[in-house]
Amino acid sequence: MKILLASSEAIPFAKTGGLADVATGLAKALADLGHDVTLVIPYHRQHVSPSLLVEQTSTRISVPVADRLVSAGICRTQLPGSSVEVLLVDQPQYFDRPALYTAAGEDYSDNCERFVFFSRAVLEAARTLEVRPDIIHANDWQTALVPAYLDIEYRHRPEFARTGSILTIHNIAFQGRYWLWDMRLTGLDWKYFNYHQLEFWGHLNLLKGGIVFSDVVTTVSPTYAREVCTPEFGWGLEAVLANRGA
């Protein structure tokens, strides 16, 4: 099976928490089971060790963000000690920064734009490089729009016609909630800004979009899966998750 795993961080390229450990560990475990695994992450240049061999390819992609096109390069490497190919989306304006998500204790003001871009870039990289995945696996709010873009804008393409999507929730407290006008950044039709899909109490909620549009939703453990379906631990999304059934 060909699996494309999308994450905002992974070891040994960049890490702020457990997401990086899981992305790397899962990719390696799936490859050890015989699957063809490609990991797509942003190229956080300031966090990648110079000892890692990263190849700058000639491939470039153009990604629509709001009313403009943002260009990015694609770099390649491998997860050390595995057969997993790593594609690094090289967009220095968004990802060549001292920290992954924050500065001076505050979120970067353009985080929504950065990860709207990256979510679509995952699919553009796969399309351009003809990866043709059977499954695309998104992780947390930073890549939660990948299943939405796949379902809304890429499903008609032959290379994605049979691609399934999975979203894994690592920490539901972090949802990618932004003011409603950031919906323009996504390039999606405003009809999707409704309480069944991307709207959440008047805000754009990226994680909610991933929950709604992915074929399968998972969490990091069976216990956490049960907890996030309760008002105590669901952070307002328990009803959305309950609507997904099993």
Side-chain angles (χ1 to χ4, degrees):
M1 184 175 292
K2 186 166 286 190
I3 301 168
L4 186 71
L5 200 155
S7 177
S8 60
E9 54 187 87
I11 294 174
F13 306 99
K15 175 182 175 176
T16 61
L19 171 59
D21 299 287
V22 174
T24 299
L26 179 61
K28 287 183 175 181
L30 291 168
D32 289 343
L33 290 172
H35 299 293
D36 182 352
V37 182
T38 301
L39 174 63
V40 187
I41 59 175
Y43 194 1
H44 300 287
R45 284 182 176 272
Q46 297 184 41
H47 300 263
V48 176
S49 169
S51 64
L52 286 171
L53 183 61
V54 176
E55 173 196 356
Q56 178 75 56
T57 73
S58 59
T59 302
R60 295 198 66 81
I61 57 175
S62 292
V63 177
V65 178
D67 57 356
R68 62 194 177 96
L69 289 175
V70 178
S71 178
I74 301 295
C75 298
R76 291 180 186 264
T77 187
Q78 277 191 307
L79 278 183
S82 80
S83 62
V84 176
E85 181 178 47
V86 181
L87 302 178
L88 300 105
V89 177
D90 188 13
Q91 215 303 320
Q93 179 183 345
Y94 289 148
F95 302 120
D96 190 1
R97 301 185 182 187
L100 270 60
Y101 313 114
T102 63
E106 299 289 335
D107 288 353
Y108 289 127
S109 61
D110 62 346
N111 271 351
C112 184
E113 180 177 339
R114 297 169 73 217
F115 291 104
V116 162
F117 162 82
F118 180 64
S119 291
R120 197 186 285 261
V122 169
L123 291 159
E124 277 299 303
R127 182 187 66 80
T128 303
L129 296 171
E130 299 183 348
V131 175
R132 295 180 178 268
D134 298 302
I135 293 174
I136 294 181
H137 185 175
N139 291 271
D140 271 352
W141 70 267
Q142 296 94 333
T143 53
L145 278 188
V146 174
Y149 283 130
L150 174 64
D151 200 52
I152 296 169
E153 297 200 350
Y154 286 80
R155 184 65 68 197
H156 69 284
R157 298 180 180 272
E159 59 265 40
F160 296 108
R162 298 176 62 85
T163 301
S165 62
I166 296 174
L167 171 70
T168 294
I169 301 170
H170 299 255
N171 189 339
I172 200 168
F174 298 98
Q175 300 178 6
R177 290 177 61 180
Y178 298 99
W179 78 319
L180 78 163
W181 292 110
D182 279 339
M183 182 67 182
R184 294 177 298 183
L185 297 171
T186 70
L188 296 173
D189 194 295
W190 277 93
K191 70 181 182 181
Y192 298 107
F193 189 77
N194 65 76
Y195 73 98
H196 290 298
Q197 294 172 317
L198 290 168
E199 185 268 341
F200 184 77
W201 295 99
H203 292 82
L204 172 66
N205 189 311
L206 304 185
L207 185 63
K208 179 180 177 181
I211 292 170
V212 170
F213 283 100
S214 61
D215 294 315
V216 174
V217 181
T218 70
T219 68
V220 291
S221 74
T223 299
Y224 194 52
R226 291 189 293 269
E227 288 177 348
V228 297
C229 290
T230 67
E232 185 178 2
F233 297 105
W235 286 83
L237 291 178
E238 60 275 5
V240 181
L241 287 164
N243 286 337
R244 293 305 312 267

